[in-house]
Amino acid sequence: MKRAFSLVATVAAMSIASAAAADEHTVLILADAYFPKVTYLDNGDSVRFINMSGGEHNIVAEGAAWEIGPIPDQGEVVLEISDVVEKLFFDKDAVADDGTLLVQGEISFDSAPLN
């Protein structure tokens, strides 16, 4: 019985540690870019988008898998990330004449480069 309690306590501690390990990353929305362009994170992290573009901003994921906005100038939105979230996102309103989305950002589950 003592061993079973110890195992339950260990699993509970690991679950709490995993939940506490989630990080919040910041992406600045600029008039013609996202900074950083690529955000490296882990499953369960969140991204805080802060609009510094000077106007309302709408973000759409590739294939319209998710969308946030309009985000007012100086406004913020937090997006919880899971490994099923579409990773490429765009400024919905920055579109070339041929339909190409001009401003792109990316979420990556890869390790961040060290350089």
Side-chain angles (χ1 to χ4, degrees):
M1 182 67 152
K2 189 174 187 180
R3 181 180 171 146
F5 178 74
S6 177
L7 179 60
V8 170
T10 300
V11 171
M14 289 171 56
S15 296
I16 291 169
S18 295
D23 289 324
E24 183 176 277
H25 305 267
T26 299
V27 173
L28 300 178
I29 301 168
L30 307 174
D32 58 357
Y34 295 106
F35 183 80
K37 183 175 181 173
V38 179
T39 303
Y40 296 92
L41 42 72
D42 293 317
N43 190 26
D45 287 356
S46 60
V47 176
R48 179 176 300 274
F49 291 94
I50 301 174
N51 186 0
M52 302 178 74
S53 69
E56 281 190 344
H57 192 88
N58 294 286
I59 300 173
V60 63
E62 188 171 49
W66 54 268
E67 187 172 333
I68 54 177
I71 305 167
D73 186 38
Q74 303 301 312
E76 300 180 8
V77 173
V78 176
L79 178 66
E80 301 296 322
I81 303 298
S82 71
D83 58 357
V84 296
V85 168
E86 177 55 51
K87 293 158 189 68
L88 293 176
F89 56 90
F90 307 90
D91 176 350
K92 184 177 180 180
D93 303 315
V95 182
D97 291 337
D98 67 358
T100 304
L101 295 163
L102 300 172
V103 180
Q104 176 181 321
E106 181 179 354
I107 295 167
S108 176
F109 294 105
D110 294 336
S111 296
L114 298 176
N115 55 354

